[in-house]
Amino acid sequence: ATVITSSSFDGQLIRLKDSISHKHKKGSESHSHEGLASTTWLDLKQAAAQASAVALALREQFPEHETSVMSRLRNLQEDLDALDTEMRAATSTLRQTVAITSHPVYHYWSRAYDLVTPSLLWEPGNEITPQDIVALASIREDHPNAKFFIWESAPLDRNVKMLKEAGLISIIVSPCANQPAAGDFLSVMRNNIAALEASGD
């Protein structure tokens, strides 16, 4: 059975206005960011709602495991609630400025934690090109107080250095769009919070 985990906040889904087509690697197929913003779980309150939808579907499908499923849901909800509070505190420095993001995947995160996050289409493993610099300059014209740059995953050292020379602090905030190689969603969010906290030091 298919479960639409976002149905409880269906009216709050973010529709993307622009369709931007690009490639992730040389020779790879082009794809677009269009339709509805997808990373709903980066708003940790929405992540809790999605966890609840999954648990209720599991309870319905496997009633013999109801006690275990609901107990685990309660524990998860407590963890997500705590992480939501920690994320709000960790993003406090970003709220005083602008954080440019490497990819347009932070819509719900930005809305949930009151951030201004204009987006580029940069891949962390690709070198920053002259065209990229032009795109960055255009965003900085509109947001001269930008101080941070958010990457989805670890960028090339030379990219971090170049941005630092341009006055931008790089931070990795993983959207956790796939199963992580190590740990789980909670540990990835804790790592994100730790990176954000370190950026304020």
Side-chain angles (χ1 to χ4, degrees), residues 33 37 65 161:
H33 291 269
H65 297 298
K161 187 180 175 201

Side-chain angles (χ1 to χ4, degrees), residues 17-39:
K17 293 185 179 80
D18 303 314
S19 169
I20 307 167
S21 184
H22 70 120
K23 296 179 181 184
H24 282 259
K25 288 180 184 164
K26 247 186 180 174
S28 67
E29 282 192 36
S30 180
H31 73 279
S32 297
H33 291 269
E34 59 184 329
L36 294 172
S38 60
T39 52

Side-chain angles (χ1 to χ4, degrees), residues 5 39 103-104 175 182:
T5 62
T39 52
H103 238 65

Side-chain angles (χ1 to χ4, degrees), residues 182-195:
D184 56 22
F185 177 78
L186 296 177
S187 65
V188 171
M189 290 305 122
R190 288 186 186 107
N191 288 341
N192 288 341
I193 289 165

Side-chain angles (χ1 to χ4, degrees), residues 20-184:
I20 307 167
S21 184
H22 70 120
K23 296 179 181 184
H24 282 259
K25 288 180 184 164
K26 247 186 180 174
S28 67
E29 282 192 36
S30 180
H31 73 279
S32 297
H33 291 269
E34 59 184 329
L36 294 172
S38 60
T39 52
T40 51
W41 54 87
L42 290 181
D43 173 342
L44 291 161
K45 282 187 167 55
Q46 288 183 172
Q50 291 181 271
S52 182
V54 170
L56 293 176
L58 286 170
R59 184 179 69 178
E60 190 176 318
Q61 192 76 20
F62 307 102
E64 68 275 19
H65 297 298
E66 177 176 1
T67 304
S68 171
V69 166
M70 299 317 286
S71 170
R72 288 180 182 207
L73 173 64
R74 276 191 298 278
N75 292 339
L76 179 56
Q77 298 280 25
E78 285 173 15
D79 286 338
L80 290 170
D81 189 50
L83 284 173
D84 179 58
T85 300
E86 290 171 35
M87 183 65 81
R88 181 156 296 282
T91 52
S92 61
T93 306
L94 272 64
R95 278 194 287 284
Q96 299 158 29
T97 178
V98 170
I100 301 168
T101 65
S102 62
H103 238 65
V105 294
Y106 295 97
H107 306 85
Y108 295 102
W109 184 65
S110 300
R111 183 177 70 185
Y113 305 106
D114 304 316
L115 307 173
V116 178
T117 58
S119 295
L120 288 165
L121 287 165
W122 290 10
E123 298 304 328
N126 294 351
E127 273 190 61
I128 294 171
T129 66
Q131 295 97 314
D132 291 336
I133 295 297
V134 170
L136 176 63
S138 176
I139 284 183
R140 296 189 84 181
E141 272 181 37
D142 294 336
H143 303 281
N145 63 328
K147 186 178 173 186
F148 298 99
F149 194 94
I150 307 295
W151 295 95
E152 295 172 274
S153 59
L156 296 174
D157 289 343
R158 68 193 69 171
N159 289 349
V160 173
K161 187 180 175 201
M162 189 179 287
L163 288 176
K164 189 175 182 181
E165 287 168 357
L168 292 169
I169 299 165
S170 289
I171 311 171
I172 300 168
V173 177
S174 170
C176 199
N178 297 302
Q179 184 175 346
D184 56 22

